Amino acid sequence: MRIAAVLHDRCRSRKCNKECVKFCPMVRTGSECVTFNEKGKPVISEALCQGCGICVNKCQFGAIKIIGLADELKGEMVHQYGENAFRLYRLPVPKKGVITGILGPNGIGKTTAIRMLSGTEVPNLGRFDDPPSKEEVLGRFAGTELHDHLERVYSGGVRVAVKPQYVDKLPQSVSGVVRDLLGKVQERMSVEEAAEVFDLGEVLDRELTKLSGGELQRLAIAATVMRDADVYFFDEPTSYLDIYQRVKMARTIKGLAADKQVVVIEHDLAVLDYLADNVSVVYGSEGAYGVFTLARQVRTAINVYLDGYLPEENIRFRDRPIEFVSSPPRADWNTPDLIEFDSVEKDLGGFRLSIGKGAVKIGESVGVVGPNATGKTTFVKMLAGVIKPDKGSLDAAVKVSYKPQYISADAEGTVRDLLFAKAYDTVNSGFFEGEVLEPLGVKHLMDKDAGTLSGGELQRVAIAMCLAADADMYLFDEPSAYLDSNQRMSAARTIRRMMEKRGRSGLIVDHDIYFLDMVSDSMMVFGGEPGHHGTGEGPLDMRDGMNRFLGAVDITFRRDADTNRPRINKPDSRLDREQKERGEYYYS
């Protein structure tokens, strides 16, 4: 079975020579295999297409995908958005008393699946020009668990609560203060109880427009959990949250699953492993198609995802597996210090930061961990020279390249313009294209207007811009934000590889344990009272740093026997108790 997809956001038909038509062998024989619609975008006839791939290779914007799929999927299409548009195959099924995880890249139908399972959108079964009725949809899935679920949803027999993906858009759709919003959904707990559970006490009387990303996320989760529903859907609940809040959120959601159905989309693999019971892996091609696999036990599903191969279906969806080291990186460095700091203090009026003595060595990659609002970004800004310390010594003579925490898309021009303006010779080299642009997926974004980039696209471009600069030290503030799990692993490998090949130092602030495990040689640990005062110590060797950090969070990690990836131990399990007794929270 062959499908053709045209990515309209990439297509620049006014800037090309219509290569997709000129070089198509079927068009040359007189067939209308490729035509153009009223918007000037190509339309490819899947019935006539021979799958030669010439149009794919000739399109300079990477806007065409011709994909061969297994014939078994022919009768399993759930939804298609239009001609040569994205199509979805199969759907997961929520189960009572079980947390069902959904794992896969962005742009392959995970959020679409939630909309259909919650009844917000009705599957069209591929009939985008003649959508079926709900009765026809139920007839299509007769005799399956999915039929029983959708029947209850369509009849109103199931109460559904959905935590949306983009919580930063909440202020645009809901106005008022936090207390008023939570007051409308007081079903399973009161406003005061929710404020205590989700740390919202200080913002109850604050306007939604004044909330940070983390506060909006906790508010959205609270509003969902407070509802008395039968099925709960959580779309990316860890975005904007620090590791403390992620673990607390996971424990709260796990408490729902005793007698409810819970479905979670999550890109933080450590949290998903801790949270979910079963996981449906989704594979496909961004903007073209997505296929849900049968649910697997969570450990098996994540290992299959990292390996990139589905043995039952004999399908490889990643060129090479994602690998983790089996032992902590070396702690002893023989290189000289690149930058030193000692007793650094900064008072921001209401928040005070104190950093002890430390140094980053040449070629060392330092991971930075700790709760939100404890000064991690403030410290990075001091290293970058954006703000000055009030006290203490900080060697500011080092040349740095800085990727800030919050990135905006208000720049003019294309991605190519931005990168060339940053470092033309570096960006235009084959080395940079192969080591940075290709693995980060920026190569296909080069001709997109910077102002139209999504959050994930903007993040990848920002990482590439940071790496393009000639510097002694590279500073990354939350580089995994907005990225799916595939992109996070690729970004971690890219940053690590560039530091090693260039012999440069890096300092990376992030909350994803997998990301930090892949990219870090040592750790800086921040603590204190969030929003009031923060403390920072290190860099410490990886073992000591992670033990101090995870000891404060009160969770322990072990290594998976097959993949060496970090896994959170179940609370009060034998391993959890034994590792805590030894003080080994990370490397057992």
Side-chain angles (χ1 to χ4, degrees):
M1 181 176 63
R2 183 179 299 110
I3 65 171
V6 177
L7 309 184
H8 287 191
D9 60 329
R10 292 187 188 178
C11 179
R12 300 287 187 274
S13 55
R14 295 181 180 179
K15 296 183 179 180
C16 71
N17 295 315
K18 308 295 189 293
E19 286 87 352
C20 53
V21 173
K22 283 186 177 181
F23 292 95
C24 176
M26 296 304 295
V27 172
R28 290 185 172 187
T29 63
S31 301
E32 291 189 341
C33 185
V34 184
T35 57
F36 286 86
N37 61 21
E38 65 278 1
K39 295 182 179 179
K41 305 294 184 182
V43 177
I44 301 173
S45 169
E46 293 177 354
L48 297 175
C49 177
Q50 298 298 298
C52 64
I54 292 176
C55 59
V56 176
N57 295 319
K58 290 294 183 180
C59 179
Q60 57 185 300
F61 303 110
I64 298 175
K65 294 183 178 182
I66 306 295
I67 301 165
L69 296 181
D71 285 337
E72 303 89 77
L73 293 174
K74 273 187 178 179
E76 300 193 63
M77 186 188 295
V78 173
H79 196 77
Q80 183 174 351
Y81 281 106
E83 192 169 19
N84 296 152
F86 178 83
R87 60 205 80 187
L88 182 66
Y89 297 88
R90 305 178 190 148
L91 285 174
V93 182
K95 295 181 182 295
K96 190 172 183 179
V98 171
I99 296 181
T100 302
I102 297 178
L103 175 60
N106 286 334
I108 60 170
K110 300 186 304 298
T111 299
T112 298
I114 280 187
R115 289 203 301 268
M116 292 174 182
L117 291 173
S118 63
T120 305
E121 188 170 352
V122 178
N124 64 22
L125 309 180
R127 291 161 46 187
F128 53 87
D129 51 353
D130 179 28
S133 64
K134 291 180 179 179
E135 289 72 23
E136 289 179 279
V137 171
L138 292 176
R140 164 66 177 76
F141 296 112
T144 66
E145 291 181 297
L146 182 58
H147 167 274
D148 298 339
H149 172 79
L150 292 178
E151 185 177 45
R152 290 193 298 270
V153 171
Y154 294 161
S155 66
V158 172
R159 293 163 297 175
V160 173
V162 180
K163 199 292 292 181
Q165 178 182 12
Y166 298 111
V167 294
D168 51 334
K169 295 182 179 179
L170 278 178
Q172 301 172 18
S173 56
V174 182
S175 59
V177 299
V178 172
R179 186 186 300 275
D180 294 340
L181 175 61
L182 295 180
K184 298 175 182 178
V185 291
Q186 297 184 85
E187 296 173 3
R188 297 183 67 251
M189 62 177 72
S190 67
V191 171
E192 289 70 25
E193 290 172 326
E196 183 176 352
V197 171
F198 297 98
D199 299 323
L200 295 170
E202 294 186 3
V203 300
L204 277 178
D205 297 304
R206 192 178 297 175
E207 292 280 344
L208 265 65
T209 54
K210 304 293 179 62
L211 299 183
S212 67
E215 290 163 347
L216 283 170
Q217 184 70 276
R218 298 200 304 276
L219 170 62
I221 295 173
T224 305
V225 171
M226 289 172 71
R227 294 181 182 274
D228 186 15
D230 299 300
V231 188
Y232 293 86
F233 295 95
F234 295 90
D235 198 344
E236 299 187 24
T238 66
S239 302
Y240 302 104
L241 301 184
D242 62 39
I243 186 63
Y244 295 81
Q245 296 163 342
R246 292 182 185 197
V247 171
K248 190 173 184 179
M249 173 277 302
R251 288 171 177 162
T252 302
I253 293 177
K254 282 174 77 73
L256 284 174
D259 58 346
K260 306 290 185 180
Q261 296 174 333
V262 181
V263 178
V264 180
I265 295 174
E266 184 50 62
H267 294 303
D268 186 324
L269 297 183
V271 172
L272 181 66
D273 192 10
Y274 174 74
L275 177 63
D277 298 300
N278 297 321
V279 171
S280 283
V281 174
V282 195
Y283 69 91
S285 180
E286 180 183 357
Y289 77 102
V291 181
F292 276 86
T293 64
L294 295 175
R296 293 171 167 83
Q297 192 270 340
V298 60
R299 175 183 178 269
T300 304
I302 293 179
N303 287 353
V304 163
Y305 183 75
L306 293 174
D307 187 51
Y309 176 69
L310 296 165
E312 295 89 350
E313 303 181 37
N314 193 27
I315 291 174
R316 177 160 292 283
F317 55 89
R318 186 183 296 110
D319 293 336
R320 56 185 178 182
I322 296 171
E323 299 175 342
F324 292 84
V325 294
S326 58
S327 59
R330 64 186 189 276
D332 53 325
W333 284 81
N334 297 319
T335 56
D337 292 342
L338 174 69
I339 187 168
E340 298 180 10
F341 43 88
D342 188 11
S343 303
V344 175
E345 295 185 10
K346 182 65 182 180
D347 192 333
L348 297 174
F351 177 79
R352 186 178 72 259
L353 174 64
S354 302
I355 305 291
K357 184 177 181 178
V360 178
K361 295 182 178 294
I362 294 174
E364 182 179 18
S365 291
V366 182
V368 182
V369 293
N372 285 335
T374 54
K376 300 186 301 297
T377 295
T378 300
F379 177 64
V380 171
K381 286 182 176 180
M382 285 194 286
L383 290 176
V386 176
I387 59 177
K388 304 294 182 184
D390 296 329
K391 294 181 181 178
S393 61
L394 178 63
D395 182 5
V398 173
K399 190 175 181 181
V400 302
S401 180
Y402 173 42
K403 199 291 294 182
Q405 179 181 13
Y406 298 109
I407 47 182
S408 60
D410 53 4
E412 295 183 359
T414 65
V415 170
R416 190 186 306 276
D417 296 333
L418 291 181
L419 288 168
F420 278 2
K422 185 74 173 181
Y424 177 82
D425 291 337
T426 298
V427 175
N428 206 34
S429 68
F431 171 79
F432 194 80
E433 179 178 326
E435 294 290 340
V436 178
L437 299 182
E438 189 72 42
L440 288 181
V442 174
K443 188 176 178 181
H444 293 304
L445 303 176
M446 296 294 277
D447 293 292
K448 288 192 71 172
D449 293 329
T452 65
L453 297 177
S454 67
E457 292 170 339
L458 194 61
Q459 185 73 274
R460 285 179 280 149
V461 171
I463 293 171
M465 289 182 67
C466 183
L467 290 171
D470 181 22
D472 301 308
M473 186 173 188
Y474 294 82
L475 309 175
F476 298 90
D477 199 345
E478 298 197 22
S480 76
Y482 304 107
L483 302 184
D484 64 41
S485 45
N486 261 1
Q487 295 163 347
R488 291 182 186 192
M489 301 301 104
S490 294
R493 282 199 306 262
T494 298
I495 293 172
R496 176 82 186 193
R497 193 165 53 241
M498 289 296 285
M499 297 302 103
E500 291 176 345
K501 290 192 174 183
R502 288 177 168 177
R504 300 292 193 265
S505 302
L507 191 137
I508 305 98
V509 178
D510 212 274
H511 297 297
D512 188 309
I513 295 295
Y514 278 41
F515 190 96
L516 290 169
D517 184 80
M518 293 185 72
V519 81
S520 306
D521 297 306
S522 55
M523 303 295 294
M524 280 194 73
V525 181
F526 279 68
E529 186 180 355
H532 299 285
H533 75 271
T535 59
E537 56 179 337
L540 308 167
D541 68 76
M542 195 73 174
R543 188 188 204 113
D544 189 21
M546 290 304 293
N547 279 336
R548 293 193 194 190
F549 170 58
L550 295 175
V553 186
D554 195 33
I555 58 174
T556 58
F557 276 81
R558 69 187 185 280
R559 290 283 181 180
D560 183 79
D562 295 328
T563 64
N564 292 318
R565 63 183 173 89
R567 298 191 68 198
I568 300 178
N569 291 320
K570 301 299 182 186
D572 206 34
S573 65
R574 179 183 59 82
L575 275 176
D576 185 58
R577 295 194 307 270
E578 289 178 355
Q579 287 183 222
K580 286 178 179 177
E581 288 174 4
R582 296 197 307 268
E584 293 288 357
Y585 286 79
Y586 197 54
Y587 296 112
S588 59

